Amino acid sequence: MADKKAVWLVALAITTLATPAANAATTVYEAEHAARTQGVVESQHDGYTGTGFVNYDNVIGSSVEFTTYTSRAGQHDLVFRYANGTTADRPLEISVDGTSTTVSFPSTETWTAWTAKTLTLELSQGTHTIRATATTAAGGPNLDSLTIANDVVAPRPRDWSTAVVDSTMAVRTATSLGLSYTDTLFLHSVYLVYQRTHNPRYLAYLKEWGDARVRADGSTGNPYHDLDSMLAGNLFLDLAQATGEERYRLAAQLIRDRITTYPRTTDGGLIHNVAFTGQLWADGVFMVQPFLARAGDIATAVQQLTTYYQHLKNPEGLLRHAYDEQRRQSWADPVSGQSPEVWCRAVGWFGMATVDVLRFVPRTHPDRAALVEIVRHLADGYRRFQDPATGLWFQLPAKPAVAGNWLETSCSSMYAYTISRAVKQGVLGPSYLPVARSGYRGVLAKASIGSDGRTAVADISVGTSVGDEGYYLRRARAVNDFHGLGAFLIMNEELR
């Protein structure tokens, strides 16, 4: 290929921060200083860098053209920072020295949720013309800047999502998985990977599970006597969407019907287990509330999150693991009813649940502000207690210096996901993005490929009840536990 031509690589990834590979020199080109046709420079949407951004102005063919320079030949990351507050994709034709490809710029949900699209290219040393042109009458996204990493020497990481799914499918057949929350969490995360890749093997795996577990009338043999068992509802909605089969809609409806009769605290909180009278566990909100919001019951989802939050909020940051209304449990404080510790994964479940519910709560909803308060409280705690050396979080995150504490992978995945999603929703500002990206890199450092070609994700806390400091610190650290694999995949689909 001629000098100054770009060799388009197969790799095309969405990232959430214009951060190139380690040790890379970068140059930022602000869109407002580039050449434009028909687009206009604006500054009314917060979060942009420089002095403004370019609005493509709903015109097909409108464009932004950058004149750039690379100091060395080789792989380079081109990072387009943008926002797309519509619900539709606004693709751009990206041309580098005359070689073009059409690139998706999907919704970021709000015009203040700035994110990034990264292309990895082979570029020669020297000057290059990079043009981003709107391909539809809706124009392009709002374009803030182009960042070029001039000295990328390491290859881009593998697609960890497909690597983890493929490895797990190779050792765990679909029919070996049951209705436990860990199994349905993993299967739901497989569906998220399927949505991106459209790999028919992933859908076939999910359908094989459904054929084995869900009867024609939607029954599964599960009485739904605990919130954990209701996480299957999310998977039933996934399969109903993917297959159109009525049994999955019926299965989801059975869970909704059960929730109407399920026991609660005196102020309406769904208790963690029918045997645990008056107890609320932070873990439980993820098992039910995103499912309810997806199924259309936003009011109940919001009410549950706010009720739980009032009982679990820790004034020092984050949340306590559990609450006992009756103050009868040995772990319950006689005044507050709270358990004594902040356990990392419980807080991760809560964060993921809240941002997932927020996707369905209209901005005019009277209780939306209460959910925003929850996210910001959690995010402040996440940022405060993040380990600066690794980007990860400890099993007891509010006690990083306590002897025997250890860095845990599943909650770190959950925290990184929650922050990234909240920034895209405009709930958090862009200053939180380094927290998410550092957490993401830290989690990836826990993933490896064995000599057999299979993935291993390490340092995952096994299933955990409510206890004291020593109890949490003694929990076993597993490899490829489904708590961690599910959270890892959800995070990776968000941040890859």
Side-chain angles (χ1 to χ4, degrees):
M1 182 172 289
D3 189 36
K4 297 185 181 180
K5 293 291 185 178
V7 179
W8 295 93
L9 303 183
V10 174
L12 172 63
I14 300 175
T15 62
T16 56
L17 183 65
T19 302
N23 302 319
T26 62
T27 305
V28 178
Y29 300 88
E30 295 290 347
E32 65 269 26
H33 301 313
R36 332 182 281 282
T37 59
Q38 298 180 283
V40 294
V41 174
E42 295 178 344
S43 59
Q44 70 269 41
H45 300 305
D46 292 340
Y48 59 85
T49 60
T51 59
F53 56 84
V54 173
N55 179 345
Y56 276 75
D57 210 21
N58 301 105
V59 178
I60 190 171
S62 54
S63 68
V64 178
E65 184 176 287
F66 302 89
T67 300
T68 67
Y69 179 83
T70 55
S71 60
R72 61 178 295 276
Q75 282 191 26
H76 297 73
D77 279 351
L78 275 61
V79 184
F80 295 87
R81 189 170 190 267
Y82 78 97
N84 178 2
T86 72
T87 59
D89 188 10
R90 290 195 167 185
L92 295 175
E93 180 186 70
I94 305 298
S95 170
V96 179
D97 301 328
T99 299
S100 301
T101 189
T102 300
V103 177
S104 170
F105 283 78
S107 171
T108 60
E109 302 183 358
T110 71
W111 291 110
T112 56
W114 298 93
T115 187
K117 172 78 75 169
T118 300
L119 308 181
T120 301
L121 310 177
E122 286 285 339
L123 293 177
S124 61
Q125 183 273 332
T127 302
H128 302 275
T129 300
I130 301 174
R131 182 184 301 113
T133 305
T135 62
T136 70
N142 286 347
L143 188 61
D144 183 40
S145 65
L146 167 65
T147 298
I148 297 182
N150 288 323
D151 296 296
V152 179
V153 295
R156 295 190 63 81
R158 68 177 66 241
D159 185 336
W160 280 106
S161 290
T162 58
V164 167
V165 172
D166 290 344
S167 293
T168 308
M169 286 172 54
V171 298
R172 296 290 302 272
T173 64
T175 54
S176 73
L177 304 184
L179 291 158
S180 69
Y181 74 95
T182 51
D183 286 357
T184 55
L185 171 70
F186 171 72
L187 291 166
H188 169 64
S189 68
V190 171
Y191 181 71
L192 298 180
V193 181
Y194 165 73
Q195 282 189 303
R196 172 175 61 86
T197 64
H198 304 291
N199 188 327
R201 292 192 306 108
Y202 299 163
L203 181 58
Y205 188 80
L206 295 170
K207 291 174 68 176
E208 185 178 0
W209 176 87
D211 290 342
R213 300 297 175 189
V214 185
R215 304 181 185 112
D217 63 356
S219 64
T220 63
N222 195 325
Y224 302 116
H225 287 336
D226 57 85
L227 300 189
D228 287 347
S229 64
M230 297 183 189
L231 183 58
N234 240 352
L235 183 56
F236 296 151
L237 294 181
D238 295 338
L239 285 165
Q241 177 178 327
T243 69
E245 293 186 35
E246 178 69 2
R247 61 175 159 169
Y248 298 120
R249 187 194 68 79
L250 294 172
Q253 187 60 48
L254 286 174
I255 294 178
R256 292 192 66 184
D257 293 343
R258 175 62 176 124
I259 288 171
T260 63
T261 63
Y262 192 82
R264 305 181 183 223
T265 58
T266 55
D267 57 355
L270 295 165
I271 67 174
H272 192 69
N273 185 305
V274 296
F276 298 170
T277 304
Q279 293 183 44
L280 307 180
W281 294 19
D283 325 35
V285 294
F286 184 81
M287 312 304 167
V288 178
Q289 309 325 319
F291 159 71
L292 284 178
R294 286 182 69 188
D297 191 356
I298 294 174
T300 299
V302 172
Q303 180 265 331
Q304 290 299 312
L305 285 167
T306 54
T307 299
Y308 270 67
Y309 178 66
Q310 292 306 315
H311 289 303
L312 298 173
K313 183 178 180 181
N314 178 18
E316 298 176 0
L318 304 178
L319 307 173
R320 299 292 176 89
H321 187 178
Y323 161 78
D324 176 20
E325 180 178 56
Q326 299 177 343
R327 278 73 168 170
R328 292 179 179 174
Q329 298 303 307
S330 61
W331 47 256
D333 182 273
V335 177
S336 68
Q338 292 182 338
S339 61
E341 299 297 336
V342 174
W343 176 47
C344 69
R345 190 159 66 223
V347 184
W349 289 122
F350 209 103
M352 290 204 305
T354 308
V355 293
D356 284 357
V357 169
L358 267 170
R359 296 176 63 185
F360 302 95
V361 179
R363 294 192 173 277
T364 56
H365 194 285
D367 294 325
R368 182 178 173 87
L371 298 189
V372 171
E373 176 192 338
I374 293 172
V375 173
R376 290 176 177 170
H377 172 80
L378 294 177
D380 286 345
Y382 296 164
R383 180 160 61 179
R384 175 183 174 187
F385 295 116
Q386 185 176 35
D387 177 46
T390 65
L392 299 171
W393 286 267
F394 285 91
Q395 172 82 331
L396 294 179
K399 296 181 174 181
V402 70
N405 212 350
W406 52 281
L407 297 165
E408 203 280 332
T409 301
S410 67
C411 74
S412 297
S413 300
M414 294 172 175
Y415 294 5
Y417 167 83
T418 298
I419 290 177
S420 176
R421 175 57 54 178
V423 172
K424 288 184 179 180
Q425 292 170 330
V427 173
L428 299 176
S431 66
Y432 283 87
L433 284 173
V435 179
R437 295 301 298 175
S438 179
Y440 179 54
R441 289 190 292 269
V443 171
L444 290 185
K446 295 287 187 178
S448 60
I449 305 292
S451 59
D452 58 358
R454 303 261 168 81
T455 57
V457 180
D459 290 336
I460 302 166
S461 176
V462 297
T464 301
S465 186
V466 181
D468 59 14
E469 178 184 289
Y471 169 78
Y472 292 106
L473 297 182
R474 290 190 300 268
R475 300 307 290 161
R477 304 187 219 183
V479 175
N480 288 343
D481 183 284
F482 271 13
H483 292 91
L485 293 191
F488 179 95
L489 290 169
I490 291 170
M491 174 203 68
N492 199 58
E493 287 306 292
E494 169 71 19
L495 284 155
R496 61 179 297 276

